[in-house]
Amino acid sequence: MLYKGKKLILDSFRTVLSDYSIDVQDVVRSAILDDVDISSYISSCKDNPYRLDQIRLCIKEGMPEEILKLYNGSAIYQIRTLKADGVDLTPVVKQLSRGNLQDTYLLYLLGWIKDGLNISKLNIAIIPQQLLPTFDYGLRCGFDMSKYNNGRSYSPQYISLLLQIEKNKKSVSSLLSGEWSLDILEVLSSFSKTSDSRWENLISNIDSKISKGRLEKLISLEKQGIDVSGVQRKSNGIYVLSDKCLDLVLQAYSRKLNYKLLIEQATSEEDMQDMIDRMEVANRTRVGGRIRRY
């Protein structure tokens, strides 16, 4: 083992390393006895003999080079402990090969590996630090968190609401843009307890620009079994039927009027109200012994 051009042997290593602490010298002594070359790590560990000793043991145990690059001696020790317990270190090496991780990330990574959580699809290095607890919760609940590991700047509240929706076994694929307001996601989270068909019908007919008020009206219609695709049609990017029209549709439904005709033919609130008035008059007027209905 050579250090700065000088061979480190038992008779001379303390002289060569006289500027280093006794602790560092003792680690080097152990390395000489073990025939383990730690020369390339001595300078970087001048003030960290514990890390140097962990590196020595890693080399002795044949650990991957990615682990030797860690700055945290305690993390190296934890990884050695995992290996001693028979844990496959492939996921650790894979994550470390993407770059050195800060201590906070290492803490979560090693915890997930120790507990046998599946992180094979994750790139931990790009998870915003504020989301680490949220990812931890999701992984421990058995969710595939890779869909949130896409570089977008979600807030913890955003992902938490999507996870609530996922808990109700509903797809969140259309909500992953990060553009939906938390108010809207809270309403959707509550509605996600509904049937799959109602969920899919609602979610396929809205976008992130929808107002909370309109969304709540659409949900009221869906809960009555009214297909909202018709009331969501647009002209030049504007809803043909206003929010007030949605109230009128629900009103017509409750009065057993032909709400489908309203949705199909009305083009404004005034038009819809006029149609409702005529329907009610017709239902009260008997023609030829029958009630004429729309």
Side-chain angles (χ1 to χ4, degrees), residues 9-271:
I9 59 176
L10 289 176
D11 291 338
S12 65
F13 79 93
R14 291 195 188 276
T15 300
V16 175
L17 300 176
S18 60
D19 291 339
Y20 288 80
S21 69
I22 294 297
D23 290 344
V24 170
Q25 292 179 25
D26 285 349
V27 174
V28 173
R29 180 179 183 277
S30 296
I32 293 171
L33 291 172
D34 291 336
D35 194 22
V36 172
D37 188 353
I38 60 171
S39 57
S40 60
Y41 301 96
I42 294 175
S43 294
S44 63
C45 293
K46 183 175 183 178
D47 299 317
N48 194 345
Y50 179 67
R51 175 178 179 247
L52 184 62
D53 197 35
Q54 291 303 313
I55 290 173
R56 174 185 70 84
L57 292 169
C58 276
I59 296 174
K60 184 177 179 179
E61 296 165 0
M63 302 283 274
E65 184 178 353
E66 286 81 1
I67 295 171
L68 306 181
K69 297 177 182 178
L70 291 174
Y71 296 118
N72 189 315
S74 295
I76 298 176
Y77 172 76
Q78 290 180 57
I79 294 172
R80 290 182 51 243
T81 301
L82 290 175
K83 182 182 179 182
D85 291 339
V87 175
D88 180 14
L89 296 183
T90 302
V92 178
V93 174
K94 180 180 178 181
Q95 295 295 332
L96 294 179
S97 65
R98 293 167 172 161
N100 209 358
L101 296 176
Q102 296 177 13
D103 289 352
T104 304
Y105 286 78
L106 280 172
L107 181 65
Y108 278 100
L109 169 61
L110 297 180
W112 295 336
I113 297 298
K114 180 181 179 181
D115 295 337
L117 302 179
N118 185 1
I119 61 169
S120 61
K121 296 180 182 179
L122 295 182
N123 181 354
I124 294 174
I126 69 170
I127 299 174
Q129 187 167 329
Q130 65 171 347
L131 291 181
L132 286 171
T134 308
F135 269 70
D136 183 69
Y137 169 79
L139 288 170
R140 294 185 184 282
C141 287
F143 293 112
D144 176 7
M145 297 300 290
S146 63
K147 65 173 69 69
Y148 306 108
N149 190 209
N150 52 24
R152 289 196 175 104
S153 299
Y154 299 114
S155 68
Q157 297 89 342
Y158 196 102
I159 295 182
S160 294
L161 287 167
L162 295 193
L163 291 178
Q164 288 180 32
I165 293 172
E166 284 201 83
K167 270 189 177 181
N168 291 321
K169 303 187 184 306
K170 300 299 187 297
S171 171
V172 297
S173 58
S174 61
L175 305 174
L176 292 173
S177 65
E179 298 173 354
W180 299 76
S181 72
L182 295 181
D183 283 350
I184 293 297
L185 292 182
E186 286 175 357
V187 174
L188 290 175
S189 175
S190 178
F191 181 67
S192 65
K193 298 174 184 178
T194 191
S195 67
D196 290 350
S197 59
R198 285 182 179 174
W199 171 263
E200 290 300 331
N201 193 54
L202 176 74
I203 211 73
S204 63
N205 284 290
I206 63 174
D207 57 38
S208 61
K209 296 179 181 179
I210 193 168
S211 68
K212 180 180 179 182
R214 188 174 183 88
L215 177 60
E216 290 173 336
K217 295 177 189 297
L218 293 176
I219 288 175
S220 295
L221 293 174
E222 275 292 338
K223 286 182 176 179
Q224 299 301 328
I226 300 173
D227 184 354
V228 300
S229 59
V231 302
Q232 284 294 86
R233 67 183 188 275
K234 293 182 178 181
S235 176
N236 297 321
I238 300 174
Y239 294 116
V240 173
L241 300 181
S242 67
D243 290 8
K244 178 60 177 177
C245 286
L246 304 191
D247 291 333
L248 293 174
V249 170
L250 192 59
Q251 182 185 117
Y253 171 85
S254 65
R255 296 179 182 178
K256 302 186 185 308
L257 301 177
N258 191 345
Y259 68 88
K260 292 182 179 180
L261 190 64
L262 297 178
I263 295 173
E264 292 171 1
Q265 297 186 5
T267 57
S268 67
E269 178 184 332
E270 293 75 14
D271 189 19

